[in-house]
Amino acid sequence: MYYYVNQTRYPHVPYPTLTAIPELARNDTTVRSAGCGLCSVSMVVTNLTGTEFPLIDALELSLAVNANHSPGTDMDRLAPYVAERFGLKLVMTDDPEQLRQSLLRGGMAVANVTGDRPEENYVGLFSHGGHYVAVVAIEPDGEHVTVLDPSQLPDKFHEAGREGKVVENGFCLHTTLSILAEDCRFRPAECYPEGEFKSWMEFDRRTVHNRYYLFEKE
């Protein structure tokens, strides 16, 4: 049985975001609305190491290292501190093949899904917007993976465009690496409508777009 954290249970826990852009900074966001990255890294570390990394500890670390300067959590900033704290190896990549090999070695990962891509008529599987999930296992075939989604709700995977892509077994979600990789494919700023996320991407001007944060024991 995996350790699981669902962000929707924490509407009362504040998590300010977008602190890097004062005019867009959000003081009304909470773990429920913006804490998917915190929940995902909490689940990965706890399940991988056997040492609990509670949600509140992940939140406090994110605030301490300013990983909340983005809309949600900047995993590029948070993940190295998490790896250091727990003595884990970390690789940050956009390559699903590296994800596959890490999982086959017994690692676990935080994956950053993109959401809907209406310009391609693509419906986001794990979210309609940006979102993090925990990838905790892979079958020996190297293709079928187990995902823990911190925003899982009863009817989430019964929407048009999502139906049939996930097999639910409680909070363990079974899908394929190819389906997950398609959901994590980077979407450039020009494809987004005007709003907070596009403003952040234009402000940040990141040239490396990691989609997977691979954690393994040393």
Side-chain angles (χ1 to χ4, degrees):
M1 181 66 69
Y2 291 105
Y3 176 87
Y4 176 70
V5 184
N6 192 305
Q7 70 188 91
T8 67
R9 299 172 185 165
Y10 300 95
H12 57 288
V13 180
Y15 184 49
T17 57
L18 262 177
T19 59
I21 310 176
E23 62 271 25
L24 295 179
R26 297 285 300 273
N27 291 314
D28 59 340
T29 46
T30 66
V31 169
R32 178 174 183 166
S33 61
C36 55
L38 305 177
C39 295
S40 294
V41 78
S42 168
M43 291 189 284
V44 164
V45 169
T46 302
N47 287 306
L48 180 61
T49 67
T51 299
E52 186 177 4
F53 183 35
L55 171 62
I56 191 63
D57 288 6
L59 188 153
E60 290 176 350
L61 180 59
S62 179
L63 297 180
V65 303
N66 199 29
N68 64 320
H69 69 153
S70 62
T73 302
D74 183 351
M75 200 59 63
D76 279 24
R77 180 167 293 191
L78 180 61
Y81 287 97
V82 172
E84 181 181 22
R85 175 178 289 192
F86 290 93
L88 298 171
K89 293 187 290 186
L90 170 68
V91 172
M92 303 189 296
T93 181
D94 65 350
D95 183 359
E97 186 57 36
Q98 288 195 50
L99 171 62
R100 186 196 318 275
Q101 296 306 319
S102 179
L103 293 170
L104 286 169
R105 289 192 297 267
M108 296 185 182
V110 174
N112 186 191
V113 304
T114 305
D116 296 341
R117 299 193 297 272
E119 65 277 7
E120 301 176 16
N121 294 316
Y122 178 81
V123 177
L125 176 58
F126 290 101
S127 178
H128 292 300
H131 184 51
Y132 291 106
V133 297
V135 191
V136 295
I138 192 168
E139 296 296 319
D141 65 4
E143 180 60 20
H144 290 83
V145 295
T146 300
V147 175
L148 307 179
D149 177 5
S151 69
Q152 183 182 1
L153 292 170
D155 297 323
K156 181 172 184 177
F157 299 103
H158 298 289
E159 295 183 21
R162 293 176 172 174
E163 195 78 49
K165 292 185 176 182
V166 166
V167 175
E168 298 179 75
N169 182 10
F171 54 72
C172 291
L173 307 175
H174 304 288
T175 188
T176 66
L177 190 65
S178 58
I179 287 174
L180 176 64
E182 182 63 21
D183 213 45
C184 291
R185 188 151 58 82
F186 175 69
R187 188 181 183 213
E190 57 266 24
C191 293
Y192 286 90
E194 296 299 324
E196 290 178 356
F197 195 78
K198 184 172 185 175
S199 295
W200 161 254
M201 293 184 76
E202 292 173 343
F203 169 84
D204 187 54
R205 297 185 180 278
R206 196 162 302 192
T207 57
V208 175
H209 305 289
N210 294 310
R211 313 308 298 167
Y212 312 105
Y213 302 84
L214 316 178
F215 293 89
E216 296 182 32
K217 293 181 181 179
E218 292 282 4

